[in-house]
Amino acid sequence: MERDTARNMVREDIIESMVESTAKSMVKDMEREDTTEGMERSMKINSSEEEIISWKKLSLLLFIYFTILIILQIVTNSKPITTTIIYTFDLYNKGYSTNPPEIEIFTLIEKLGSEGRFLHLIGTFIDAFLFVPIYTIVHYLLWRKFITKKELQIFLPLLYFLIILTSLFDTIENFIIILLLLTFPYLTAIFSAVNISTTISLKSIVDLIIESDFNFAINGIKYIARMLHYVTPLKFYFLNGFFICFIGLAIVNYILEESSSEVNNNNKGMIDNDQQEQGEQERRDDNNKIKTD
């Protein structure tokens, strides 16, 4: 009887210790899973919050971008402009056809008329002081948003270079157009003085004035107008180069993201298997320890 009682007590102790060890291992596994899931959940929450914030900023800037673009299109496509010239001066991506090019530029300015020149001036001011800064910021945020792989970070200076040059030449172009539109009445007065000088006896006096101040002003305006013939095509070259590079890098970034996500999923599966095997090994070790005891 005493032996049976002792055996039963030993059995009960073994069973209790086995149950206790099994419970402890299960608790460890649950804690490990909870920790892993919690870390993954917190990482997802943080990344989603950052993504939502960045998308909010980008959406707001895109709204401002398209609002300014619509206003700009309304102004530059008004009847006083579209009925007199085919394109505004910032859209001549191949330059001007006359030699020298300022002949066509001055002809187009004269065709615009006073109302057309005024509306074109407003549109150029909007372009220079609102549209150029906002599209520079939007393009910067776009490539920071869609080009995230470290392997492609070496190409970011190229995108910086292209967008800065685009903004620079666009700004130079806008200031040239503003200067030409604002000085057109002055040019008209100069050309009128030249025409008058051919019909009146004060030709020598007018020629003297032209050779001093007027001639300097005319030549300066001519050279500035000639710059427009080269600046506008360069702006489009840099802008097209930026978009080609951006689209290409965005496609490569997407391919790399997909491949890295597959690798991460495989690694996660391997880690889960290792954790499961580790938990089973701990259970076996506890059982063996109980049996030896």
Side-chain angles (χ1 to χ4, degrees), residues 22-223:
T22 305
K24 287 181 179 179
S25 63
M26 291 177 65
V27 169
K28 288 181 180 178
D29 292 338
M30 292 176 65
E31 289 178 352
R32 191 183 298 113
E33 291 177 358
D34 291 339
T35 303
T36 305
E37 290 178 358
M39 290 176 64
E40 291 178 353
R41 194 180 299 111
S42 62
M43 290 174 64
K44 288 180 180 179
I45 291 172
N46 292 332
S47 62
S48 62
E49 286 179 354
E50 292 177 358
E51 189 175 357
I52 290 170
I53 292 172
S54 61
W55 273 116
K56 284 181 179 179
K57 291 180 180 179
L58 187 58
S59 300
L60 178 61
L61 289 171
L62 284 172
F63 174 76
I64 298 172
Y65 171 87
F66 284 110
T67 302
I68 296 173
L69 182 61
I70 291 170
I71 295 172
L72 188 60
Q73 291 298 316
I74 291 172
V75 174
T76 55
N77 287 291
S78 57
K79 283 186 177 181
I81 296 177
T82 56
T83 56
T84 53
I85 61 175
I86 300 175
Y87 305 111
T88 53
F89 294 109
D90 59 329
L91 296 180
Y92 281 82
N93 58 348
K94 294 182 179 180
Y96 299 88
S97 57
T98 59
N99 188 18
E102 58 266 21
I103 296 174
E104 183 178 357
I105 294 172
F106 290 140
T107 303
L108 293 173
I109 293 175
E110 188 175 3
K111 283 183 178 179
L112 278 172
S114 60
E115 189 176 359
R117 288 191 293 272
F118 177 71
L119 291 172
H120 200 314
L121 188 64
I122 292 176
T124 308
F125 269 105
I126 294 173
D127 190 7
F129 297 104
L130 294 178
F131 189 66
V132 172
I134 196 68
Y135 84 61
T136 304
I137 297 172
V138 168
H139 290 167
Y140 169 77
L141 291 178
L142 282 174
W143 81 60
R144 297 298 296 179
K145 183 69 179 175
F146 291 103
I147 303 174
T148 56
K149 300 299 292 182
K150 292 182 179 179
E151 295 87 342
L152 301 178
Q153 298 297 315
I154 57 174
F155 295 102
L156 289 182
L158 175 61
L159 294 177
Y160 281 111
F161 178 74
L162 290 173
I163 194 60
I164 288 173
L165 283 179
T166 302
S167 304
L168 177 63
F169 279 95
D170 201 351
T171 303
I172 293 172
E173 174 197 64
N174 286 325
F175 279 107
I176 290 174
I177 295 171
I178 290 171
L179 181 63
L180 293 175
L181 292 173
L182 288 176
T183 57
F184 185 76
Y186 176 63
L187 290 175
T188 306
I190 293 174
F191 295 136
S192 299
V194 174
N195 293 329
I196 292 172
S197 68
T198 59
T199 57
I200 61 175
S201 59
L202 297 176
K203 180 180 178 180
S204 59
I205 299 175
V206 176
D207 287 341
L208 182 63
I209 296 174
I210 292 175
E211 288 176 359
S212 58
D213 295 331
F214 287 168
N215 194 36
F216 177 78
I218 290 173
N219 288 331
I221 294 298
K222 282 183 178 180
Y223 285 123

